[in-house]
Amino acid sequence: MPYCEVGRYADGDKWEGVRVYYRRYGRGATKVLLIIGLAGTHDSWGPQIKGLTGSLEPADDEALRPDEEAAGGDGDGIEVCCFDNRGAGRSSVPPNKSYYSTAIMATDALALMDHLGWKKAHVFGHSMGAMIACKLAAIAPHRLCSLALLNVTGGGFQCFPKVDGQMLSLAFRFLRAKTPEERALVDLETHYTKEYLEETVGSCTRRMVLYQEYVKGISSTGMQSNCGFEGQINACWTHNMTTKELDTIRSAGFLVSVIHGRYDIIAQLCHAKRLAESLLPVARMVELHGAHLVSHERPDEVNNALMDLIKATGSAMKPEEWSAQPENTSETGALISARPITVTMRTDEGVIVMGFEHIRNIVRIMKPARVAPIDS
């Protein structure tokens, strides 16, 4: 199994290593590091892995070749690496939430790049993964070719979902959900737009296809641990980008793409727009018709935006030219393949729990079900 030891933590009177599980796809001189969000695992990036490399077949069974980059890589292809953050999937689960922050998890990602022998990479993150990507860009800007932030917020109170009748209903149902079936119904409404869920796939709706896949996945893969879930929630809650860090990113010399679903009720669009504005002139805002999992709901449009970023970097496009491009404000979204997209990321609704716990100032009033990703 491909693991990378990224650090150590104290467990009583002994030190334990933190191991990160990762997979590599495709081969090429262009390197892309994908950082997933809260409670997600590496395979949540399935639509982007396929779109960037053309295959979902892992390439990490091959021997690592740290000299690839110095030797010119493997031609014009793209090599992607994605991984399970600490606290999720097959990676280590440190027992205390103090071992979780976006800065710590950014150093995990940096250690993985060192392990792979990657001097530089395009770094793309989703949700909490985008917060981690921001920290990585501020900590080691010289290691980035470009930065893409999908469904991102600035952490802390910006993690609170929009409070309206729909969200209150979802939060109430989330808190009451005791079975995978009950959780599945809430999760689908939280992550996707109603139009997407009601699309016909064969003889049934996409909602039914995804619901069945979701329940099946929980039964086969189990739940995220309490320690991992609470640690990652802590990382989101304590995340903050200082003015100095944003200045570092803005002056680092790479381009930034901020990609967001217009109907995201978990990470509000206004926060992403504010972040993009703070990173001008190097940032472009890409607004798509979709919700929190816009990377699954509109994979073609998201993949096109990512490829635009890679190509603009390769052609050394000037920041002013990059940010001056018209916003993508598609009303209809990309064409949807007849093949259903399997849900592989769960429990971003954890921010709902986080918000309610902080607002009501009640610690551990509940232990919601931790749901696991579904294998692609």
Side-chain angles (χ1 to χ4, degrees), residues 247-313:
D247 287 343
T248 296
I249 295 173
R250 189 169 50 245
S251 61
F254 53 77
L255 303 177
V256 181
S257 186
V258 181
I259 305 169
H260 213 92
R262 185 180 299 110
Y263 304 108
D264 188 342
I265 61 175
I266 293 295
Q268 296 185 58
L269 176 62
C270 60
H271 300 312
K273 285 187 171 182
R274 188 175 299 117
L275 178 60
E277 289 172 0
S278 71
L279 293 175
L280 287 174
V282 300
R284 173 191 292 183
M285 183 72 208
V286 181
E287 182 183 330
L288 300 175
H289 183 96
H292 193 61
L293 278 185
V294 70
S295 55
H296 285 231
E297 190 169 345
R298 297 288 181 245
D300 291 343
E301 289 184 85
V302 170
N303 293 343
N304 286 340
L306 297 177
M307 285 304 303
D308 284 347
L309 181 58
I310 292 173
K311 291 175 181 177
T313 299

Side-chain angles (χ1 to χ4, degrees), residues 75 145 157 192 214 344 374:
C145 298
F157 282 99
Y192 298 101
Y214 179 89
T344 55
I374 293 174

Side-chain angles (χ1 to χ4, degrees), residues 33-38 40 44-45 48 85 123-133 148-153 191 259-261 264 266-267 291-296 302 345 348:
L33 185 69
L34 301 177
I35 309 178
I36 199 56
L38 177 67
S44 301
W45 285 108
Q48 283 61 60
N85 286 308
V123 177
F124 304 158
H126 179 272
S127 196
M128 181 188 75
M131 300 181 201
I132 297 169
L149 308 172
L150 284 70
N151 298 82
V152 67
T153 74
H191 285 146
I259 305 169
H260 213 92
D264 188 342
I266 293 295
H292 193 61
L293 278 185
V294 70
S295 55
H296 285 231
V302 170
M345 180 160 55
D348 270 302

Side-chain angles (χ1 to χ4, degrees), residues 311-323:
K311 291 175 181 177
T313 299
S315 65
M317 181 181 289
K318 294 181 179 179
E320 293 77 10
E321 183 181 354
W322 170 253
S323 59

Side-chain angles (χ1 to χ4, degrees), residues 9-62:
Y9 65 90
D11 185 10
D13 58 354
K14 63 180 180 178
W15 287 85
E16 298 287 348
V18 178
R19 297 203 309 163
V20 163
Y21 177 81
Y22 68 92
R23 300 308 299 261
R24 295 159 63 230
Y25 301 84
R27 306 296 285 182
T30 300
K31 313 299 185 184
V32 176
L33 185 69
L34 301 177
I35 309 178
I36 199 56
L38 177 67
T41 55
H42 67 281
D43 50 2
S44 301
W45 285 108
Q48 283 61 60
I49 295 169
K50 182 66 180 291
L52 294 173
T53 71
S55 173
L56 287 173
E57 188 67 28
D60 42 39
D61 291 336
E62 303 174 25

